[in-house]
Amino acid sequence: MIINRKTFLKTSSLAAASFLFPNFLQALTLPEAIAMNGKTLIILQLSGGNDGLNTIIPIKNDIYYKSRNQISIKEENSLLLTDEAGINPNLKFFKELYDNGELAVMNNVGYPEPNKSHFRSMDIWQTASDSNEFKNSGWLGRYLDEACHDCQNPTQAIEVDDLLSLAMKGETKNAIAFKDPKKLFDNSQEMLYKKLNANNHDHEHELASYLYNTLGNAINNSEYIFSESKAKPTDKVYTSTQIGKDFKTIASLIKSDINTQVYYLSVGSFDTHSNQNQKQNLLFKNISDAVEIFTKDMKDNGKFNDIMIMTFSEFGRRVAQNASNGTDHGTANQMFFISGGLKKKGLLNPLPDLTNLKDGDLIYTEDFRKVYATVLKRWLNTNDQKILGKDNGYYDFI
């Protein structure tokens, strides 16, 4: 059968979305499928390099205001957290979470010898590697390897996207990626896909063989995935933004019987070289609105104490603004942790030191791999040293 470009792209998307879906239904009842420990981790990736200084704002710092005479956020416009720090006014619900003791902020997170390339720095964050080290597996993929040694069809990790991130690819196991359960099901019902699946294809070309094999798995299991997503529908009205839809998908799956412990989604782009405030403000509003509805949904279902949302971005921005009312690629940044089960809340460490910069960039004080180790050990209850390859120590906020 000859496949044109349009069909190939659709087929590729479905195949990517269904990677390692074989016998999905049976995976939930196989004896080797591990039991959940009651905790769920949601990773929210702020793609593009979010500007941390306009996120958690050093409202008493003269250097901040002098370095950003056009794009700084004034104290009176920020939402006050402490006498020294405010939060971006478009993260309104995050302020509410902070006041409720359901938000923790780790400031100045990074790694030695930071890389300012989007692609390379994202690889470092997703693989938990050193800046001069290259890995083919991600830290959450290796978690899946560890958590599911003998599982033929792991369902413990799901990415809400059309393609699987490096973070979710293990050495022996890969997580599952799909954007919309209904779309996956609808695509699987098209006659073309059924015809392709009905034939036994053996192709010398690796990509073609991959497409045919994974396509068949998606067709065979998409109905179950779709039905599970509808099993316990929410009565909450989620926003129509993409992140709102993504959180609605996660909520529907959390409330079903799927044994997923890790969800991964992304939003962006935060690459604000120009007109930063306008772009960042809109993204923050979309995030705040989506997280608000999701949080209320989980609270109403008694699950919020066992769910943690963790945010990260591949790097922060430079301290000084540029000539286009934006900021260029920088280094260290903050991470957010949202949960009803935090042991420590609020600002976990001091704000960045703007008097101690390296070539105009922040010098990190907290290593992101120590954060990962803490989450792996104390939230997911797994062997962080085996997954990360060394002892990184732990924080005590969870």
Side-chain angles (χ1 to χ4, degrees):
M1 178 180 293
I2 298 175
I3 303 178
N4 61 31
R5 182 177 182 274
K6 180 179 179 182
T7 301
F8 177 82
L9 290 175
K10 288 182 67 178
T11 307
S12 300
S13 178
L14 183 61
S18 63
F19 192 44
L20 285 183
F21 257 128
N23 301 319
F24 185 93
L25 175 57
Q26 290 86 342
L28 299 180
T29 57
L30 287 173
E32 66 267 22
I34 64 171
M36 292 182 66
N37 71 342
K39 302 294 185 182
T40 301
L41 174 66
I42 301 170
I43 307 292
L44 176 57
Q45 173 182 300
L46 308 183
S47 303
N50 176 51
D51 177 36
L53 289 176
N54 275 20
T55 305
I56 299 296
I57 304 150
I59 55 176
K60 301 296 186 182
N61 195 306
D62 291 339
I63 297 174
Y64 165 74
Y65 288 108
K66 290 178 181 178
S67 301
R68 301 181 169 206
N69 62 324
Q70 296 296 320
I71 68 169
S72 59
I73 298 175
K74 303 296 186 277
E75 177 178 354
E76 59 269 24
N77 294 328
S78 69
L79 304 176
L80 297 183
L81 303 180
T82 68
D83 291 340
E84 301 291 330
I87 194 169
N88 190 290
N90 293 279
L91 290 172
K92 183 178 179 181
F93 184 66
F94 282 50
K95 161 64 171 171
E96 183 177 329
L97 289 167
Y98 179 92
D99 291 341
N100 292 339
E102 297 163 342
L103 174 71
V105 183
M106 181 73 70
N107 293 298
N108 222 39
V109 186
Y111 56 89
E113 302 299 325
N115 192 298
K116 294 185 182 181
S117 161
H118 288 293
F119 303 104
R120 179 59 191 140
S121 191
M122 185 62 78
D123 280 356
I124 291 169
W125 274 85
Q126 291 192 350
T127 62
S129 67
D130 292 329
S131 59
N132 61 350
E133 181 183 18
F134 293 83
K135 293 185 177 181
N136 294 321
S137 63
W139 72 285
L140 294 170
R142 297 195 299 275
Y143 155 75
L144 191 58
D145 291 337
E146 179 66 17
C148 196
H149 289 293
D150 301 321
C151 297
Q152 296 179 355
N153 309 293
T155 59
Q156 285 79 9
I158 288 177
E159 181 162 3
V160 187
D161 207 334
D162 291 325
L163 296 174
L164 198 63
S165 298
L166 178 57
M168 301 286 271
K169 296 178 181 179
E171 295 173 356
T172 61
K173 307 292 181 184
N174 285 326
I176 297 163
F178 61 89
K179 196 72 171 175
D180 180 350
K182 184 179 187 302
K183 184 177 180 181
L184 180 66
F185 173 70
D186 290 344
N187 284 344
S188 73
Q189 299 306 298
E190 292 189 16
M191 187 58 63
L192 170 64
Y193 297 138
K194 290 184 176 181
K195 287 182 179 179
L196 289 172
N197 188 46
N199 296 317
N200 183 15
H201 296 278
D202 185 13
H203 294 270
E204 294 182 0
H205 195 288
E206 183 179 354
L207 176 58
S209 179
Y210 162 78
L211 292 177
Y212 280 114
N213 290 335
T214 55
L215 175 61
N217 294 329
I219 292 172
N220 293 335
N221 297 285
S222 59
E223 184 174 2
Y224 171 74
I225 300 163
F226 180 40
S227 65
E228 281 296 294
S229 72
K230 299 190 303 176
K232 297 180 181 179
T234 179
D235 59 356
K236 296 290 186 293
V237 179
Y238 280 76
T239 57
S240 60
T241 60
Q242 187 59 60
I243 190 173
K245 295 175 182 177
D246 291 347
F247 267 110
K248 184 177 182 179
T249 296
I250 292 174
S252 70
L253 293 172
I254 286 176
K255 291 188 288 184
S256 77
D257 295 325
I258 290 177
N259 65 340
T260 308
Q261 288 192 264
V262 176
Y263 294 90
Y264 196 100
L265 70 161
S266 60
V267 61
S269 171
F270 283 89
D271 197 19
T272 52
H273 290 281
S274 62
N275 301 321
Q276 174 173 296
N277 288 2
Q278 180 181 1
K279 296 174 183 177
Q280 190 184 44
N281 290 347
L282 178 59
L283 287 166
F284 279 166
K285 183 180 186 306
N286 290 343
I287 291 171
S288 183
D289 290 347
V291 170
E292 179 176 9
I293 299 167
F294 175 79
T295 298
K296 292 178 179 179
D297 200 356
M298 295 300 100
K299 284 184 176 181
D300 288 350
N301 285 272
K303 295 182 178 295
F304 186 59
N305 287 355
D306 293 321
I307 291 171
M308 183 169 68
I309 301 173
M310 181 180 87
T311 74
F312 84 96
S313 195
E314 67 262 39
F315 45 63
R317 317 295 292 191
R318 292 179 66 80
V319 173
Q321 71 175 63
N322 61 26
S324 301
N325 288 331
T327 50
D328 297 324
H329 299 180
T331 52
N333 212 340
Q334 73 271 128
M335 300 177 71
F336 288 111
F337 308 91
I338 297 170
S339 177
L342 297 171
K343 289 186 176 180
K344 284 192 173 183
K345 301 95 174 176
L347 303 184
L348 299 174
N349 62 329
L351 297 176
D353 182 359
L354 301 189
T355 66
N356 182 28
L357 305 178
K358 183 177 180 180
D359 299 327
D361 289 318
L362 301 176
I363 300 174
Y364 88 102
T365 58
E366 314 300 327
D367 196 305
F368 76 96
R369 288 157 297 195
K370 185 176 179 179
V371 177
Y372 287 0
T374 303
V375 171
L376 289 167
K377 179 72 172 181
R378 298 184 173 173
W379 193 258
L380 295 178
N381 192 31
T382 192
N383 189 335
D384 62 287
Q385 294 185 31
K386 185 174 181 180
I387 292 167
L388 300 177
K390 62 179 180 178
D391 182 359
N392 294 277
Y394 307 107
Y395 293 105
D396 57 0
F397 64 92
I398 54 175

